[in-house]
Amino acid sequence: AGMGRTLVELFYDVISPYSWLAFEVLCRYRHIWNIDLRFRPAFLGGIMHQTGNKPPAMLPKRGEYLLKDITRMAKYYQVPLHMSAGAFQHLMGTSSLTAMRFITAIDMTNPQFLEPLSREFWMRFWSQYEDISKPENILAVARQAGISAELSQKALEMTSSPTVKDRLKDTTAEALKYGAFGMPAVVAHYDGEPHLFFGSDRLELLGSIIGE
């Protein structure tokens, strides 16, 4: 972290709508708060599995609430996230593993594209309901994020390499080490210790703790 700046890590998966909200808000606040924001693409499926957590929408009443909550949050933060009743089926039927490996490969090779690429994945998945597990869709997302065909082809090939698989596993393990049980997991390194915040509705608390 820069001189006197607080390192804030955002552990996220593009399959998580609340992660998108936290991502956009933190992107806005990194220019207002004295923070170094670090994006940490991780695998939500691995975190759920390791902690025995269940998707909140599996509880019907909670699912009903989530629809309203995410719609309100998206409007409040002006993020083009569209929730419909069919969104959860769409969500449950998709694995984000290849997408998160692809994002990890880009992070390792061309980190300057990490932010626009992640945003574009959320746009595709949560605004247009596209299947982000298909290679051709992943390449289309990369193209939209300004990544050349050559670079994205290389990153796609890297998704099956041990290097990328291990990096994603390690980042996911790091989130678990901080106490994550879902996403987004925001970790602020302040006063010599890590502070974990879960979800996109604890950002004012994060600000308060880091003196912002």
Side-chain angles (χ1 to χ4, degrees), residues 183-201:
M183 293 214 171
V186 181
V187 178
H189 298 268
Y190 191 73
D191 258 355
E193 56 173 316
H195 302 261
L196 170 76
F197 300 87
F198 169 67
S200 55
D201 56 351

Side-chain angles (χ1 to χ4, degrees), residues 116-159:
L117 178 68
S118 301
R119 181 175 286 119
E120 196 54 43
F121 266 108
W122 274 305
M123 291 288 273
R124 288 290 171 121
F125 193 69
W126 286 108
S127 286
Q128 293 145 27
Y129 291 151
E130 278 186 20
D131 182 352
I132 53 165
S133 60
K134 290 200 174 92
E136 61 271 25
N137 288 350
I138 289 175
L139 292 173
V141 168
R143 188 168 60 240
Q144 198 65 40
I147 303 171
S148 73
E150 190 187 353
L151 284 181
S152 45
Q153 196 52 56
K154 188 178 158 230
L156 193 61
E157 283 159 22
M158 284 174 71
T159 56

Side-chain angles (χ1 to χ4, degrees), residues 153-197:
Q153 196 52 56
K154 188 178 158 230
L156 193 61
E157 283 159 22
M158 284 174 71
T159 56
S160 52
S161 74
T163 338
V164 168
K165 288 180 176 176
D166 288 348
R167 168 74 170 261
L168 184 60
K169 270 192 200 128
D170 291 347
T171 308
T172 306
E174 223 175 302
L176 285 161
K177 186 190 82 189
Y178 287 127
F181 51 87
M183 293 214 171
V186 181
V187 178
H189 298 268
Y190 191 73
D191 258 355
E193 56 173 316
H195 302 261
L196 170 76
F197 300 87

